[in-house]
Amino acid sequence: MSKIAALIVAGGRGERAGGGIAKQYRAVLGLPLLAWTARALSANSHIGSVQLVIGKNDRQQYDLALDGLTSLAPATGGQTRQESVLAGLEALGATRPDFVLIHDAARPLVSQDLIDRVFTALEGGAEAVLPILPVVDALKARQGDLWTSASRENLFRAQTPQGFCFKQILKAHREFAGTAAADDIAIAELAGMQITTVAGDERNMKVTTAEDFVLAESLLAANFETRSGFGFDAHRFGPGDHVWLCGVKIPHDFGLVGHSDADAGLHALTDAILGAIAEGDIGQHFKPTDERWRGAASSMFLRHAAKLVAKARGAIIHCDVTLICEAPKLAPYRDAMRASIAQILELDISRVSVKATTTEGMGFTGRGEGIAAQAVATVRMPR
Ligand code: MG
């Protein structure tokens, strides 16, 4: 089995997109552009390692954007794209891949099918593989004030990932370092490598302008669906001088009885998230008879549910918790509870709602026997 590595070039500034931040770190559907690109390549079963090349001042942004997505430390890019690619290839040298796929950071929509087409051509003996697309618009050339119509016959648009025999492209990049080249295929041409083409993909757009970000966001969104989950929990009052609700300690004349810290709010929310991803309920993941969870902070259960969402490549979009009791009065703690959930789930506080209500003296909460909680979680999941 051939060893295949991917190299993502993310060293540029991408100023045409505006906004002051390098475009590869701009958020698309809540994730930096670069993270989508790295995810797409990491998800391919043929690709063993993913090497990134980043700008020399971008390490902090990179750590935030990629957090655990790739195992190799990023290489530091140079002044030009070509210098950055060479730095990445040299860094990959230690892993001795047979093939390398060199990809633009700004193409987050690369499909698994396209990666497979490039890989299959390399496995079939190609030295350099170029995904191409036909030119469909009519072409016009200008010389001074004179416009002429140009033929689009034999003209193609070049995409990435471009695939290469690793040793050959490394040698070529070393040999032609400093020669102006539009992409890595141009370097392969200079070195006399044989170019093989495969069909590109119209969706594999290069995100360049502010308009492209809007389009890329809608194309990425089409890969996801929105799901909701509902959770309910109740705990009985017992002796004590405080209750835990949504991770906040609230003074009260009673405590709540439970195996863990009896935080009905976090339990309901944990069940809502588990419900949204159809992963059972809290009791299945944390047996109520297990001594390990005696007195446990319920933030742990919630964090576990969030990890399952992330593992499934989903994202929590919103949560809404309703607490039901006559006392204690919860309004003064509402924002602290929102902040607590936001912190546990690493969400913006605008995506967290906590409400409180009574049942006007009716039922078990009305008689002051305990506290109940309901929660709805909205989650974005890959289709
Ligand atoms: Mg409970």
Side-chain angles (χ1 to χ4, degrees):
M1 177 98 183
S2 311
K3 267 177 78 177
I4 180 161
L7 176 60
I8 302 175
V9 198
R13 303 302 310 162
E15 278 145 7
R16 270 180 290 176
I21 178 170
K23 72 174 175 186
Q24 58 271 35
Y25 296 103
R26 265 181 63 168
V28 181
L29 284 185
L31 266 189
L33 186 69
L34 180 56
W36 289 109
T37 310
R39 270 191 183 194
L41 289 163
S42 305
N44 189 278
S45 58
H46 300 299
I47 295 176
S49 46
V50 178
Q51 174 73 56
L52 273 105
V53 186
I54 62 172
K56 69 176 193 299
N57 300 321
D58 293 347
R59 184 58 200 249
Q60 208 182 346
Q61 276 181 312
Y62 166 86
D63 287 341
L64 284 173
L66 271 294
D67 191 28
L69 258 176
T70 61
S71 51
L72 300 175
T76 304
Q79 292 294 317
T80 63
R81 183 185 181 284
Q82 221 172 315
E83 283 177 34
S84 295
V85 172
L86 181 54
L89 291 171
E90 298 286 5
L92 268 176
T95 68
R96 298 174 176 278
D98 298 303
F99 304 125
V100 61
L101 265 51
I102 305 178
H103 189 60
D104 295 328
R107 293 187 192 268
L109 284 147
V110 58
S111 68
Q112 298 304 311
D113 283 351
L114 175 55
I115 296 170
D116 288 348
R117 282 200 289 280
V118 175
F119 172 72
T120 304
L122 288 168
E123 282 265 285
E127 294 181 340
V129 182
L130 171 66
I132 54 167
L133 286 171
V135 175
V136 289
D137 296 321
L139 294 178
K140 306 294 168 189
R142 188 175 73 181
Q143 270 189 315
D145 289 337
L146 190 68
W147 286 86
T148 53
S149 293
S151 167
R152 61 187 176 216
E153 206 182 340
N154 294 321
L155 283 182
F156 298 91
R157 292 176 287 149
Q159 290 193 323
T160 72
Q162 298 176 351
F164 304 93
C165 286
F166 180 76
K167 276 185 193 159
Q168 281 178 278
I169 195 67
L170 173 59
K171 185 166 174 277
H173 262 284
R174 282 177 179 164
E175 194 178 336
F176 293 98
T179 315
D183 60 4
D184 304 292
I185 286 291
I187 295 288
E189 288 162 3
L190 288 171
M193 290 169 72
Q194 185 82 38
I195 313 298
T196 301
T197 61
V198 295
D201 182 350
E202 286 291 355
R203 285 170 49 96
N204 182 28
M205 61 183 290
K206 187 171 184 178
V207 179
T208 306
T209 64
E211 291 78 22
D212 292 341
F213 271 88
V214 177
L215 182 56
E217 189 150 65
S218 64
L219 287 171
L220 279 167
N223 296 334
F224 290 87
E225 60 189 24
T226 305
R227 297 190 196 171
S228 300
F230 177 76
F232 175 81
D233 194 34
H235 282 268
R236 182 185 292 280
F237 283 128
D241 60 6
H242 68 272
V243 296
W244 283 98
L245 285 173
C246 299
V248 175
K249 188 177 178 179
I250 297 172
H252 191 43
D253 303 335
F254 303 98
L256 286 171
V257 182
H259 184 63
S260 64
D261 64 6
D263 188 329
L266 291 192
H267 293 181
L269 182 55
T270 302
D271 261 357
I273 293 169
L274 292 173
I277 59 172
E279 279 281 354
D281 61 33
I282 194 170
Q284 252 174 287
H285 292 268
F286 301 93
K287 294 265 178 297
T289 49
D290 193 325
E291 277 308 307
R292 279 180 298 169
W293 319 130
R294 182 173 293 284
S298 297
S299 54
M300 194 179 115
F301 308 146
L302 185 59
R303 210 168 277 127
H304 175 75
K307 275 200 183 121
L308 291 177
V309 174
K311 205 171 141 201
R313 296 180 176 269
I316 298 166
I317 298 172
H318 185 76
C319 23
D320 182 19
V321 179
T322 300
L323 301 164
I324 308 160
C325 60
E326 301 292 325
K329 285 287 165 244
L330 298 177
Y333 301 97
R334 211 178 64 101
D335 283 338
M337 291 191 281
R338 291 176 68 211
S340 156
I341 292 170
Q343 195 231 330
I344 296 165
L345 294 178
E346 296 177 27
L347 283 181
D348 191 275
I349 196 163
S350 66
R351 294 179 182 273
V352 179
S353 157
V354 175
K355 314 193 296 299
T357 187
T358 71
T359 49
E360 307 249 314
M362 296 176 288
F364 72 87
T365 54
R367 292 188 297 272
E369 293 170 12
I371 293 181
Q374 298 180 337
V376 173
T378 309
V379 170
R380 184 171 58 232
M381 291 285 283
R383 278 185 196 280

